Amino acid sequence: MVISASEYSATAEPLCDDYDLESFNLLEGEAFYFVPYILDDYNLPDEQFLWYKNSSQIKFISSDEKEVIHHHGGALFFLNLSTEDSGFYTARYSDLGECINCHVKIEVFKASYPMNKALLYGTIKNSDLNKKIRCPDPVRDTCNVFNGEFTWYKNFLFLQGHHDDDLWVHNATKDQEGIYTCICTWKHNDMVYNSSGSREIIDIERFDHRHPEILSNKEQFADEGSETKLNCSVFCGTNVENHCEASWNINGSPFSKRDGYKQTIKTVNNNPSKSTISTATLTIERVSAQEFRDEFKCIGKGFYEIVSDTVTLKPRETIIPLVIGGVCALFLCVFAGIMVKCFAIDLALLFRPYFPLSSHNNDAKVFDAYVVYQLQSGDKVIEDTLCQFVTNILPSVLEEKCGYRLFIHGRDDIPGEDHLELVEDRMKQSRRLMVILTSSSGSGMESTDQRPISAQNPAVGGFDWQVGLHHALVQREMNVIMIQLGDTGPKGYTHLPPGLQHLIRNSAPLRWPEGSRGAASWNSRFWKRVRYLMPAKPASKSSQFAII
């Protein structure tokens, strides 16, 4: 019969005494026999008891013994537990005006999780050599009522020959730790059922007294004027915390309470070894010069004997000089790094004559740089600037002051020589390709050979550019130095040939600081950067006749 909780509460008898809730965690598929603890005689007439399951709907429990869940007087039977049986159950006993309510909570766990700790009826934790495992009371009572048979399991493996309600584990060791399960096999209405309960044996411990051993350092350090703590640690054995104590003696006398001093003692068993160590901590609130002269003794008291060792308190060496030295070294390294970064080119130019590249010294090339430029008509200011730079400034600095040899068209041509052969040969005889860019360079890269070439009107046709870029990009025989005269113009470098644009992306052109103070000085920053890109050692002037 099932009615709602509200309907039942409206018709329930009032003024019944409620007794404490009992709770059981059970395993699916087993049987469970329960009698409330308050009942002296559970074999009372069924009519005096009303059993039901509390939920959103009240489910009354029948006394028909054919039912899987039924009651017999005050006893409640679960013959085949399932997880759906979990819940709160109440037995109402009424007789001669007396009314009591007995409550029980049942929680059923899946049979696939028999190792669930919630199913345990407690643990056995002691250091006894022989341990007694008592079958849990609900299982024991069931076996006693129905004359059942006990069997025992360890970690769910059958223990042969054990059929008593108590199991003894003799000479217990770590190997005997585990879960021990007592199973009662009993009959009800000629049907066989099993009820079980488990306990766990854990932390089977042994004690082992050893001769005390002092573990503390014989030298301990402190800063004068500050607080310090001296530790006296003593090892006494295994699980012997009641027979292990560390303490301090000062100048031959046991520690006694005094101003500025405090002693604390702590004894522990360390896991997992269970080794017993006692530590006495002596706190000195303010260390003075006297403490460095006092005698401190670490005392260790064990089961067998007392040992001692002298601990010397020494001033701690200050690390301030070390810190200052480290900071100075750091600043020196940072400063050196900054100086190297700022004056890298100056340093390279300074030391380069002493470490020249042997490949450049023996390449037998005649010119240090082949100068390529594009002279455009239509802008006289640009043409004048280019001519002035190429014919006067560039040779005066690199050739006259630095000793380099440049090949410049209009100045170094040999009359009557074929122009194409001249360009190809001089390009092969040069170590660098120097490209002079103007704001209109590349706007017309076509050949300008139809124009006369002279010292006053120096110009190079498109063939120079093609041969130079071929040597630089394809054959990789020479490095390129790019110099920008004036602004790049609104188009930037987009109008230049793709090969030259590729070189510009990899290395930005050096900008000629026209009009700036010291622009023509060979020791200015601009000319230092140009010299840095030029060969370390100028070409031999004696080789100039080799090309004639």
Side-chain angles (χ1 to χ4, degrees):
M1 178 180 177
V2 177
I3 64 173
S4 67
S6 59
E7 290 175 339
Y8 177 74
S9 62
T11 59
E13 296 182 18
L15 303 177
C16 289
D17 294 328
D18 286 295
Y19 283 84
D20 292 338
L21 174 71
E22 298 181 71
S23 180
F24 297 93
N25 295 332
L26 306 171
L27 195 62
E28 182 183 40
E30 294 189 352
F32 182 60
Y33 169 75
F34 171 73
V35 177
Y37 71 92
I38 194 61
L39 297 180
D40 294 328
D41 183 7
Y42 60 87
N43 201 20
L44 296 172
D46 294 344
E47 293 77 13
Q48 295 181 6
F49 289 90
L50 177 65
W51 278 94
Y52 58 90
K53 181 180 180 181
N54 288 307
S55 60
S56 59
Q57 291 183 330
I58 302 297
K59 181 179 180 180
F60 291 99
I61 297 174
S62 170
S63 61
D64 184 358
E65 296 192 356
K66 295 180 181 179
E67 297 289 338
V68 175
I69 302 177
H70 65 272
H71 76 91
H72 180 69
L76 181 62
F77 290 81
F78 295 85
L79 300 182
N80 186 12
L81 287 163
S82 66
T83 55
E84 288 78 13
D85 297 331
S86 298
F88 292 87
Y89 293 82
T90 299
R92 172 165 290 176
Y93 170 71
S94 302
D95 183 44
L96 301 177
E98 181 183 12
C99 177
I100 61 173
N101 289 329
C102 301
H103 307 282
V104 61
K105 176 188 175 185
I106 302 296
E107 186 170 356
V108 182
F109 291 82
K110 289 281 188 181
S112 56
Y113 299 101
M115 299 287 287
N116 196 318
K117 297 289 186 179
L119 294 169
L120 296 177
Y121 285 85
T123 59
I124 299 172
K125 183 179 180 181
N126 56 54
S127 59
D128 295 342
L129 185 62
N130 300 318
K131 298 180 183 295
K132 177 182 178 181
I133 306 174
R134 179 181 174 87
C135 186
D137 289 341
V139 182
R140 176 195 294 265
D141 294 343
T142 301
C143 256
N144 291 337
V145 171
F146 295 98
N147 296 318
E149 180 181 2
F150 292 100
T151 53
W152 284 90
Y153 292 77
K154 178 194 173 185
N155 294 332
F156 306 100
L157 298 177
F158 177 67
L159 296 176
Q160 190 172 2
H162 297 279
H163 299 287
D164 296 328
D165 54 354
D166 293 331
L167 176 68
W168 281 92
V169 178
H170 298 284
N171 297 319
T173 65
K174 274 286 185 183
D175 294 335
Q176 274 68 55
E177 289 187 346
I179 295 177
Y180 290 80
T181 303
C182 170
I183 297 180
C184 173
T185 303
W186 52 285
K187 288 185 178 181
H188 178 62
N189 292 334
D190 296 326
M191 297 293 293
V192 178
Y193 301 99
N194 289 327
S195 300
S196 71
S198 300
R199 299 184 191 275
E200 183 180 19
I201 293 181
I202 60 174
D203 292 335
I204 299 176
E205 301 174 347
R206 296 287 178 272
F207 60 85
D208 180 20
H209 291 285
R210 299 284 185 90
H211 294 283
E213 178 184 352
I214 295 178
L215 307 177
S216 300
N217 295 327
K218 293 184 178 182
E219 291 184 353
Q220 300 189 30
F221 299 90
D223 296 321
E224 186 173 352
S226 63
E227 180 184 275
T228 191
K229 293 183 178 181
L230 304 181
N231 290 322
C232 168
S233 297
V234 180
F235 168 73
C236 300
T238 304
N239 288 323
V240 291
E241 61 271 22
N242 294 328
H243 301 280
C244 185
E245 184 181 33
S247 60
W248 283 99
N249 277 10
I250 303 177
N251 295 326
S253 301
F255 174 83
S256 59
K257 189 174 182 181
R258 54 195 289 188
D259 291 341
Y261 286 76
K262 182 175 66 174
Q263 177 180 259
T264 56
I265 300 174
K266 184 178 181 181
T267 304
V268 296
N269 286 333
N270 293 325
N271 290 320
S273 64
K274 300 299 181 181
S275 58
T276 302
I277 296 178
S278 179
T279 301
T281 301
L282 180 64
T283 303
I284 304 175
E285 294 181 358
R286 185 179 179 84
V287 177
S288 65
Q290 178 61 40
E291 273 72 39
F292 296 123
R293 296 190 294 268
D294 288 341
E295 181 185 64
F296 298 92
K297 275 197 174 182
C298 173
I299 309 296
K301 180 179 180 182
F303 186 79
Y304 296 111
E305 62 179 321
I306 298 175
V307 296
S308 65
D309 202 355
T310 300
V311 176
T312 304
L313 183 62
K314 292 184 175 182
R316 194 191 315 275
E317 294 183 2
T318 178
I319 62 171
I320 294 178
L322 184 62
V323 172
I324 294 176
V327 171
C328 291
L330 178 62
F331 276 111
L332 184 61
C333 291
V334 172
F335 178 76
I338 294 174
M339 294 299 292
V340 169
K341 184 173 179 63
C342 294
F343 299 100
I345 293 178
D346 299 78
L347 294 174
L349 293 176
L350 177 63
F351 293 104
R352 191 162 64 173
Y354 306 104
F355 305 99
L357 296 177
S358 58
S359 60
H360 287 171
N361 295 339
N362 303 320
D363 59 9
K365 292 191 177 183
V366 177
F367 298 102
D368 294 299
Y370 187 107
V371 182
V372 178
Y373 60 96
Q374 182 69 36
L375 187 62
Q376 300 294 331
S377 60
D379 192 328
K380 180 135 179 37
V381 175
I382 294 177
E383 290 184 3
D384 292 343
T385 301
L386 179 61
C387 289
Q388 176 67 16
F389 182 80
V390 171
T391 60
N392 295 327
I393 298 176
L394 191 63
S396 67
V397 174
L398 293 183
E399 290 186 331
E400 296 177 10
K401 296 180 180 178
C402 300
Y404 290 109
R405 296 201 66 235
L406 307 177
F407 181 85
I408 303 174
H409 266 291
R411 187 196 70 171
D412 301 319
D413 298 357
I414 298 177
E417 187 173 2
D418 181 77
H419 177 66
L420 300 182
E421 292 182 0
L422 175 69
V423 171
E424 180 70 25
D425 182 72
R426 298 304 184 270
M427 198 73 72
K428 290 181 179 180
Q429 294 295 328
S430 301
R431 295 176 178 174
R432 299 287 188 270
L433 176 64
M434 183 174 292
V435 179
I436 311 300
L437 302 172
T438 64
S439 60
S440 59
S441 289
S443 59
M445 297 300 295
E446 301 82 16
S447 174
T448 57
D449 290 344
Q450 69 274 14
R451 299 189 58 185
I453 301 174
S454 65
Q456 291 75 25
N457 186 25
V460 177
F463 184 70
D464 298 69
W465 297 78
Q466 296 172 13
V467 174
L469 294 177
H470 178 78
H471 280 272
L473 294 175
V474 179
Q475 297 182 355
R476 299 184 181 274
E477 294 178 350
M478 58 198 316
N479 295 330
V480 180
I481 303 173
M482 291 176 287
I483 298 176
Q484 174 69 47
L485 302 183
D487 297 330
T488 59
K491 294 182 179 181
Y493 299 109
T494 58
H495 57 282
L496 297 175
L500 193 55
Q501 291 187 43
H502 173 75
L503 292 174
I504 292 174
R505 282 193 297 269
N506 291 338
S507 179
L510 303 178
R511 186 175 297 276
W512 162 246
E514 183 182 7
S516 65
R517 183 178 180 182
S521 172
W522 73 282
N523 213 22
S524 67
R525 182 164 183 79
F526 169 79
W527 288 111
K528 285 181 180 179
R529 295 174 67 186
V530 174
R531 289 161 52 201
Y532 175 75
L533 297 175
M534 290 292 286
K537 185 178 180 181
S540 175
K541 293 184 179 182
S542 61
S543 302
Q544 59 182 309
F545 301 104
I547 64 173
I548 300 176

